[in-house]
Each structure stands twice: as structure tokens, then as C-alpha cells.
Amino acid sequence: MRFAPITLAALGLVLSACDGGGDPVQQALRDASAENHAATVQTGVVSAPAHAGGHGATPGDQAFAASEAAMHTDMARASGETVDEAYIAKMIEHHRGAVAMADVALAQSRDPEIRRMARLVKDAQTREIAEMRAWRPAAQTAP
């Protein structure tokens, strides 16, 4: 039985995966995902995945592109002094994005079940936005 020659770089990747270095393929995917997210946040442009035909974004993807891009941009801009404050600011923007997506579904879908779910999402997310906006940090007391 003959084996294909292995390059030193490939051997290093295999050994690092076996030696507690993690899966290099998974790490490359995580790195690429982080780079794509950073580019999306910086440009405010969300590229939709190509459908099976490879001809670009589907009409369904295009319907949500603006609301997705706005949500990602707004989440990236939201901040807070503490983890708690940043969480609330970012989640408000995330929920606003969900409401905007529900609005697209309500405006364009004719499926009664989709419309029902979109209405439920919009109502729940709107209530949660109000709850998060009303949140105030707990008073810090000395022990």
C-alpha cells in the first residue's frame, strides 16, 4: 500500500490538532466567520447566501437583506459601560431586528401560519424591548 507524501505544513496541522491545538479546519472556519462578521459590521452590508442555482440571493433573502443589515449595524454600534448595559443595548437592537423581519413577513407572506408566527414574534419582541428599556442597574452596596 502506498500513501501520498505529506508536506511538513500538513503534518504540523495534524499534529497540532492531536496535541491539544484544536482542529485547524474548525479554527480556520471560526477565523473566516469572524472576519466576515467584522466586514459586515464595518460596511453595514450583509451578503445573502447564493441559492442552489448559484445565481445570487433568492427573492426571500433579498426581502430581509435591509432589515438584517440594519440589525447588524445597530447591534455593533450599541454599547454600554458594563456587560449588563452592553447586553441590554445590543439585545434591544437584536429584538428591533426581529420586529423588522416580522414586519417583512407580515407585509409579504400570504401563509396564515407564517403570518401568525410573525405576529407572535412581533408582539413578544416588542414587549421585551419595553422591558429592557425599563431596566436599570441594581444599586451596588458595600458588603
Side-chain angles (χ1 to χ4, degrees), residues 76-124:
R77 287 183 182 145
S79 68
E81 289 294 319
T82 67
V83 168
D84 298 335
E85 292 167 350
Y87 172 78
I88 291 295
K90 290 178 182 298
M91 287 305 293
I92 287 171
E93 297 307 327
H94 186 266
H95 281 41
R96 288 181 63 214
V99 170
M101 290 176 65
D103 285 340
V104 170
L106 288 168
Q108 296 186 28
S109 177
R110 298 296 162 239
D111 184 301
E113 186 66 7
I114 295 296
R115 294 178 60 75
R116 181 191 68 78
M117 287 187 283
R119 173 54 58 198
L120 289 172
V121 165
K122 184 173 180 172
D123 292 347

Coordinates of all heavy atoms in Angstrom, one line a residue, residues 76-124:
A76 N -23.8 46.4 16.4 CA -22.4 46.7 16.5 C -22.2 48.1 17.2 O -21.2 48.3 17.9 CB -21.7 46.7 15.2
R77 N -23.1 49.0 16.9 CA -23.0 50.4 17.5 C -23.4 50.5 18.9 O -23.0 51.4 19.6 CB -23.8 51.4 16.6 CG -23.2 51.7 15.3 CD -24.0 52.7 14.5 NE -23.4 52.9 13.2 CZ -24.1 53.2 12.1 NH1 -25.4 53.3 12.2 NH2 -23.5 53.3 11.0
A78 N -24.3 49.6 19.3 CA -24.9 49.6 20.7 C -23.8 49.2 21.6 O -23.0 48.3 21.4 CB -26.0 48.6 20.8
S79 N -23.7 50.0 22.7 CA -22.7 49.7 23.7 C -23.1 50.1 25.1 O -24.2 50.6 25.3 CB -21.4 50.5 23.4 OG -21.6 51.9 23.5
G80 N -22.3 49.8 26.1 CA -22.6 50.1 27.5 C -21.3 50.0 28.3 O -20.4 49.4 27.9
E81 N -21.3 50.7 29.4 CA -20.1 50.8 30.3 C -19.9 49.4 30.9 O -18.7 49.0 31.1 CB -20.3 51.8 31.4 CG -20.3 53.2 30.8 CD -18.9 53.6 30.3 OE1 -17.9 53.2 30.9 OE2 -18.8 54.3 29.2
T82 N -20.9 48.7 31.2 CA -20.8 47.4 31.9 C -21.3 46.3 30.9 O -22.0 46.6 29.9 CB -21.5 47.3 33.2 OG1 -22.9 47.4 32.9 CG2 -21.2 48.4 34.1
V83 N -21.0 45.0 31.2 CA -21.5 43.9 30.5 C -23.0 44.0 30.5 O -23.7 43.8 29.4 CB -21.0 42.6 31.0 CG1 -21.7 41.4 30.4 CG2 -19.5 42.5 30.8
D84 N -23.6 44.3 31.6 CA -25.1 44.4 31.7 C -25.6 45.4 30.8 O -26.6 45.2 30.1 CB -25.5 44.7 33.2 CG -25.1 43.6 34.2 OD1 -24.9 42.4 33.7 OD2 -24.9 43.9 35.3
E85 N -25.1 46.6 30.8 CA -25.6 47.7 30.0 C -25.4 47.4 28.5 O -26.2 47.7 27.7 CB -24.9 49.0 30.4 CG -25.3 49.5 31.8 CD -24.4 50.6 32.3 OE1 -23.3 50.9 31.7 OE2 -24.8 51.2 33.3
A86 N -24.2 46.8 28.1 CA -24.0 46.5 26.7 C -24.9 45.4 26.3 O -25.4 45.4 25.2 CB -22.5 46.0 26.6
Y87 N -25.2 44.4 27.1 CA -26.1 43.3 26.8 C -27.5 43.9 26.5 O -28.1 43.6 25.5 CB -26.2 42.3 28.0 CG -27.3 41.3 27.8 CD1 -27.1 40.2 26.9 CD2 -28.5 41.4 28.4 CE1 -28.1 39.3 26.7 CE2 -29.5 40.5 28.2 CZ -29.3 39.4 27.4 OH -30.3 38.5 27.2
I88 N -28.0 44.8 27.4 CA -29.3 45.4 27.2 C -29.3 46.2 25.9 O -30.2 46.0 25.0 CB -29.7 46.2 28.4 CG1 -30.0 45.4 29.6 CG2 -30.9 47.1 28.0 CD1 -31.1 44.5 29.5
A89 N -28.3 47.0 25.6 CA -28.3 47.8 24.4 C -28.2 47.0 23.2 O -29.0 47.2 22.2 CB -27.0 48.7 24.5
K90 N -27.4 45.9 23.1 CA -27.3 45.1 22.0 C -28.6 44.2 21.8 O -29.0 44.0 20.6 CB -26.1 44.2 22.1 CG -24.8 45.0 21.9 CD -23.5 44.2 22.0 CE -22.3 45.1 21.9 NZ -22.1 45.8 20.6
M91 N -29.1 43.7 22.9 CA -30.3 42.9 22.7 C -31.5 43.7 22.3 O -32.4 43.2 21.6 CB -30.6 42.2 24.0 CG -29.7 41.0 24.3 SD -29.6 39.8 22.9 CE -31.2 39.1 23.0
I92 N -31.6 45.0 22.7 CA -32.7 45.8 22.2 C -32.6 45.9 20.7 O -33.6 45.8 19.9 CB -32.6 47.2 22.8 CG1 -33.1 47.1 24.3 CG2 -33.5 48.3 22.0 CD1 -32.9 48.4 25.1
E93 N -31.4 46.1 20.1 CA -31.2 46.2 18.7 C -31.5 44.9 18.0 O -32.1 44.8 16.9 CB -29.8 46.7 18.3 CG -29.5 48.1 18.8 CD -30.6 49.1 18.4 OE1 -31.1 49.0 17.3 OE2 -30.8 50.1 19.2
H94 N -31.1 43.8 18.7 CA -31.4 42.5 18.1 C -32.9 42.2 18.0 O -33.4 41.8 17.0 CB -30.7 41.4 19.0 CG -30.8 40.0 18.5 ND1 -31.9 39.2 18.9 CD2 -30.0 39.3 17.7 CE1 -31.7 38.0 18.3 NE2 -30.6 38.1 17.6
H95 N -33.6 42.6 19.1 CA -35.1 42.5 19.1 C -35.7 43.4 18.1 O -36.7 43.0 17.4 CB -35.6 42.7 20.5 CG -35.5 41.6 21.4 ND1 -34.3 40.8 21.5 CD2 -36.3 41.1 22.4 CE1 -34.5 39.9 22.4 NE2 -35.7 40.0 23.0
R96 N -35.2 44.6 17.9 CA -35.7 45.5 16.9 C -35.6 44.9 15.5 O -36.4 45.0 14.6 CB -35.0 46.9 17.0 CG -35.4 47.7 18.2 CD -34.8 49.0 18.3 NE -35.2 49.8 17.1 CZ -34.4 50.7 16.5 NH1 -33.2 50.9 16.9 NH2 -34.9 51.4 15.5
G97 N -34.4 44.2 15.3 CA -34.2 43.5 14.0 C -35.3 42.4 13.8 O -35.8 42.2 12.7
A98 N -35.6 41.7 14.9 CA -36.6 40.6 14.8 C -38.0 41.2 14.5 O -38.7 40.6 13.7 CB -36.7 39.8 16.1
V99 N -38.3 42.4 15.0 CA -39.5 43.0 14.7 C -39.6 43.5 13.3 O -40.6 43.3 12.6 CB -39.8 44.2 15.7 CG1 -40.9 45.1 15.2 CG2 -40.0 43.8 17.1
A100 N -38.5 44.0 12.8 CA -38.4 44.4 11.4 C -38.6 43.2 10.4 O -39.2 43.3 9.4 CB -37.1 45.1 11.1
M101 N -38.0 42.1 10.8 CA -38.1 40.9 10.0 C -39.6 40.4 10.0 O -40.1 39.9 9.0 CB -37.2 39.8 10.4 CG -35.7 40.1 10.1 SD -34.6 38.9 10.8 CE -35.0 37.5 9.8
A102 N -40.2 40.5 11.2 CA -41.6 40.1 11.3 C -42.5 41.0 10.4 O -43.4 40.5 9.8 CB -42.1 40.1 12.8
D103 N -42.1 42.3 10.4 CA -42.9 43.2 9.6 C -42.8 42.8 8.1 O -43.8 42.9 7.3 CB -42.4 44.6 9.8 CG -42.8 45.2 11.1 OD1 -43.8 44.8 11.7 OD2 -42.2 46.2 11.5
V104 N -41.6 42.4 7.7 CA -41.4 41.9 6.3 C -42.3 40.7 6.0 O -43.1 40.7 5.0 CB -40.0 41.6 6.0 CG1 -39.8 40.9 4.6 CG2 -39.1 42.8 6.0
A105 N -42.3 39.8 6.9 CA -43.2 38.6 6.8 C -44.7 38.9 6.7 O -45.4 38.4 5.9 CB -42.9 37.6 7.9
L106 N -45.1 39.9 7.6 CA -46.5 40.3 7.7 C -46.9 41.0 6.4 O -48.0 40.9 5.9 CB -46.7 41.2 8.9 CG -46.7 40.4 10.2 CD1 -46.7 41.4 11.4 CD2 -47.9 39.5 10.3
A107 N -46.0 41.7 5.8 CA -46.3 42.5 4.6 C -46.3 41.6 3.3 O -47.0 41.9 2.4 CB -45.2 43.6 4.4
Q108 N -45.4 40.6 3.3 CA -45.2 39.8 2.1 C -45.7 38.4 2.1 O -46.0 37.9 1.0 CB -43.8 39.9 1.7 CG -43.3 41.3 1.4 CD -41.9 41.3 0.9 OE1 -41.4 40.4 0.3 NE2 -41.2 42.4 1.1
S109 N -45.9 37.8 3.2 CA -46.3 36.4 3.3 C -47.8 36.3 3.2 O -48.5 37.1 3.8 CB -45.8 35.7 4.5 OG -46.3 34.4 4.6
R110 N -48.3 35.3 2.5 CA -49.7 35.0 2.4 C -50.1 33.7 3.2 O -51.2 33.4 3.3 CB -50.2 34.9 1.0 CG -50.0 36.2 0.2 CD -50.8 37.3 0.8 NE -50.3 38.6 0.3 CZ -49.9 39.6 1.1 NH1 -49.9 39.4 2.4 NH2 -49.5 40.7 0.6
D111 N -49.0 33.1 3.8 CA -49.2 31.9 4.5 C -49.8 32.2 5.9 O -49.1 32.9 6.7 CB -47.9 31.1 4.6 CG -48.1 29.8 5.3 OD1 -48.5 29.7 6.5 OD2 -47.7 28.7 4.7
P112 N -51.0 31.7 6.3 CA -51.6 32.1 7.6 C -50.7 31.7 8.8 O -50.7 32.4 9.8 CB -52.9 31.4 7.6 CG -53.1 30.8 6.2 CD -51.9 30.9 5.5
E113 N -50.0 30.6 8.7 CA -49.2 30.1 9.8 C -48.0 31.0 10.0 O -47.6 31.4 11.1 CB -48.8 28.7 9.6 CG -48.0 28.1 10.8 CD -48.9 27.9 12.0 OE1 -50.1 28.2 12.0 OE2 -48.3 27.6 13.1
I114 N -47.3 31.4 8.9 CA -46.2 32.3 8.9 C -46.7 33.7 9.5 O -46.0 34.3 10.3 CB -45.6 32.5 7.5 CG1 -44.9 31.2 7.0 CG2 -44.5 33.6 7.5 CD1 -43.8 30.7 7.9
R115 N -47.8 34.1 9.0 CA -48.3 35.4 9.5 C -48.6 35.4 11.0 O -48.3 36.3 11.7 CB -49.5 35.8 8.7 CG -49.2 36.2 7.2 CD -50.4 36.5 6.4 NE -51.1 37.7 6.9 CZ -50.6 39.0 6.8 NH1 -49.5 39.2 6.2 NH2 -51.3 40.0 7.3
R116 N -49.2 34.2 11.5 CA -49.4 34.0 12.9 C -48.1 34.1 13.7 O -48.0 34.8 14.7 CB -50.2 32.7 13.1 CG -50.5 32.5 14.6 CD -51.0 31.0 14.8 NE -49.9 30.0 14.6 CZ -49.0 29.8 15.6 NH1 -49.0 30.4 16.7 NH2 -48.1 28.9 15.3
M117 N -47.1 33.3 13.2 CA -45.9 33.3 13.9 C -45.2 34.7 13.9 O -44.6 35.1 14.9 CB -44.9 32.3 13.3 CG -45.3 30.8 13.7 SD -44.1 29.6 13.1 CE -44.5 29.6 11.4
A118 N -45.2 35.4 12.8 CA -44.6 36.7 12.7 C -45.3 37.7 13.7 O -44.7 38.5 14.3 CB -44.7 37.2 11.3
R119 N -46.6 37.6 13.8 CA -47.4 38.5 14.7 C -47.0 38.1 16.2 O -46.7 39.0 17.0 CB -48.9 38.3 14.5 CG -49.8 39.0 15.5 CD -49.6 40.4 15.7 NE -49.7 41.2 14.5 CZ -49.3 42.4 14.3 NH1 -48.7 43.1 15.3 NH2 -49.5 43.0 13.2
L120 N -46.8 36.8 16.5 CA -46.4 36.5 17.9 C -45.0 37.0 18.2 O -44.7 37.5 19.2 CB -46.4 34.9 18.0 CG -47.8 34.3 18.1 CD1 -47.7 32.8 18.1 CD2 -48.6 34.8 19.3
V121 N -44.1 36.8 17.2 CA -42.7 37.3 17.4 C -42.7 38.8 17.6 O -42.1 39.3 18.5 CB -41.8 36.9 16.2 CG1 -40.5 37.7 16.2 CG2 -41.6 35.4 16.2
K122 N -43.5 39.5 16.7 CA -43.5 41.0 16.8 C -44.0 41.4 18.2 O -43.5 42.3 18.9 CB -44.4 41.6 15.7 CG -44.4 43.1 15.7 CD -45.1 43.7 14.5 CE -45.0 45.2 14.6 NZ -45.5 45.8 13.4
D123 N -45.1 40.8 18.7 CA -45.7 41.2 19.9 C -44.8 40.9 21.1 O -44.5 41.7 22.0 CB -47.0 40.4 20.2 CG -48.1 40.9 19.2 OD1 -48.0 42.0 18.6 OD2 -49.2 40.2 19.1
A124 N -44.2 39.7 21.1 CA -43.3 39.3 22.2 C -42.0 40.1 22.2 O -41.6 40.6 23.3 CB -42.9 37.8 22.1

